[in-house]
Amino acid sequence: MKRQRFTREFKLEAVRLLERGDKPATALSRELGVPRNRLYKWKAEVDANGEEAFPGSGRRPESVAELERLKRENARLREENEILKKAARYFARESK
């Protein structure tokens, strides 16, 4: 079975309809063709992230932040490695 994909606009409208409360969540989920628990997950996403909810496919903002952190750490480790190489060469010369 192919995974369903929903647009950001569809998700936001579904959450709006859920919050409006004109219909029970079960009826709304049947009407939209979306599992009821998914509606609640979308609502939680909107509640937690507001306008930042549903950024689209690909990396999420926290993944981008993690990538940046790892790049900084990688640069620091490379620098430390170069320092250790220089120190090893220095001490190798001194011990001769």
Side-chain angles (χ1 to χ4, degrees):
M1 186 168 149
K2 190 172 178 171
R3 183 175 171 196
Q4 288 181 301
R5 292 187 182 264
F6 299 97
T7 65
R8 179 177 191 271
E9 291 75 23
F10 180 88
K11 293 175 185 178
L12 291 172
E13 180 63 14
V15 169
R16 189 184 67 74
L17 292 170
L18 180 65
E19 289 176 335
R20 200 165 77 188
D22 292 343
K23 298 179 183 177
T26 305
L28 183 61
S29 71
R30 250 186 266 119
E31 187 178 299
L32 295 175
V34 175
R36 188 178 57 139
N37 67 330
R38 187 169 303 154
L39 289 176
Y40 289 121
K41 286 181 182 180
W42 291 347
K43 183 179 181 323
E45 173 82 12
V46 170
D47 290 346
N49 299 310
E51 291 296 316
E52 302 290 315
F54 317 120
S57 60
R59 296 183 188 273
R60 293 182 172 262
E62 53 268 9
S63 297
V64 172
E66 177 70 2
L67 180 61
E68 291 301 317
R69 185 191 67 77
L70 290 171
K71 284 181 179 180
R72 286 191 305 273
E73 181 180 358
N74 191 23
R76 181 183 56 80
L77 292 171
R78 286 178 189 264
E79 188 177 327
E80 288 176 8
N81 194 26
E82 285 302 313
I83 291 169
L84 291 172
K85 283 180 186 178
K86 289 177 183 177
R89 284 194 297 266
Y90 174 79
F91 288 118
R93 268 184 288 167
E94 291 293 314
S95 65
K96 287 185 182 178

